[in-house]
Amino acid sequence: MNQQTGGRIVTNLALSLDGHYAAPDNPLDMGWVMPYAVSDVARNHLTSLWETATTALLGRVNAEGFLGFWPSVIGMEGADPRDEGFAKWLVDTDKVVLSSTLDAAPWERTTIVDKPTAQVAEDLKATRNGDILVLSSASVIKALLQAGGIDRLALTVFPVLLGGGPRLFDDGLPTSKWTLVSQTAGEDGTLALVYDRID
């Protein structure tokens, strides 16, 4: 990969088969994801994303969820090595959390930023080598889609119909073209898809 001149914005999000990233009745309930997130396809997909990333970009809610859970996986008896690898990466990597309410970071190696999402992403691209990985922060990903600020779009599609809820791809997004760089299908019906923007 030619990443000598700055970073690349990579986003990752789970979607239902009908295009939603959260259930309609309780957006914070990710129970529909859990049976599939522990599959080989989903774990290998996430591993392929964080292995090339040097920075995590998160919204506040996702930061609290991720950093409240994942550190406990390190050293957990019976933990999948891929989960433990991700947990160690998340703890050890530089984290940038977008928030207008947090004054200080309760986590190590974390910077709190209260600026427009697209501006923060551009600043990170200009100053970091390696990928800047946006982990499941739908509000951040949606803002970057609207600004045309995503270089690589990674999705896991789980074989569930949620019947409603928020969508990732709202009407009115700027037009863009993408090329499929990898696709993996699991026996459970999970699809891991990675697209790079070509214009």
Side-chain angles (χ1 to χ4, degrees), residues 153-197:
L153 179 65
L155 302 168
T156 42
V157 181
F158 297 137
V160 176
L161 297 177
L162 290 178
R167 291 184 177 278
L168 177 61
F169 302 109
D170 293 325
D171 288 347
L173 288 174
T175 59
S176 56
K177 291 183 180 176
W178 302 76
T179 184
L180 183 66
V181 293
S182 73
Q183 57 182 321
T184 310
E187 292 180 4
D188 63 357
T190 295
L191 280 177
L193 305 169
V194 179
Y195 292 90
D196 279 353
R197 183 169 177 158

Side-chain angles (χ1 to χ4, degrees), residues 1-195:
M1 281 183 227
N2 294 325
Q3 294 302 317
Q4 295 92 343
T5 55
R8 176 175 63 168
I9 301 294
V10 178
T11 63
N12 184 49
L13 193 66
L15 295 178
S16 64
L17 201 54
D18 53 349
H20 303 283
Y21 62 82
D25 50 346
N26 183 359
L28 296 179
D29 177 17
M30 298 305 286
W32 64 277
V33 166
M34 294 318 297
Y36 305 100
V38 296
S39 67
D40 283 337
V41 167
R43 281 176 162 144
N44 291 341
H45 172 75
L46 181 58
T47 299
S48 73
L49 298 175
W50 67 256
E51 282 183 334
T52 56
T54 56
T55 307
L57 178 59
L58 299 149
R60 179 189 59 81
V61 172
N62 261 66
E64 289 172 347
F66 271 74
L67 294 163
F69 168 74
W70 281 102
S72 68
V73 174
I74 299 170
M76 181 185 290
E77 187 176 340
D80 186 283
R82 292 163 295 187
D83 293 345
E84 197 165 4
F86 172 69
K88 288 177 181 174
W89 173 83
L90 186 63
V91 168
D92 292 341
T93 201
D94 291 334
K95 293 167 282 293
V96 176
V97 176
L98 296 160
S99 176
S100 59
T101 57
L102 286 177
D103 294 324
W107 315 287
E108 292 182 6
R109 300 193 64 153
T110 304
T111 305
I112 305 296
V113 181
D114 182 10
K115 292 180 182 175
T117 300
Q119 180 187 336
V120 173
E122 279 302 310
D123 291 347
L124 289 172
K125 280 183 69 167
T127 57
R128 306 288 174 113
N129 287 315
D131 291 340
I132 297 111
L133 180 57
V134 183
L135 289 160
S136 304
S137 292
S139 62
V140 176
I141 297 171
K142 287 171 74 115
L144 291 172
L145 279 170
Q146 190 64 51
I150 296 174
D151 301 301
R152 170 163 284 187
L153 179 65
L155 302 168
T156 42
V157 181
F158 297 137
V160 176
L161 297 177
L162 290 178
R167 291 184 177 278
L168 177 61
F169 302 109
D170 293 325
D171 288 347
L173 288 174
T175 59
S176 56
K177 291 183 180 176
W178 302 76
T179 184
L180 183 66
V181 293
S182 73
Q183 57 182 321
T184 310
E187 292 180 4
D188 63 357
T190 295
L191 280 177
L193 305 169
V194 179
Y195 292 90

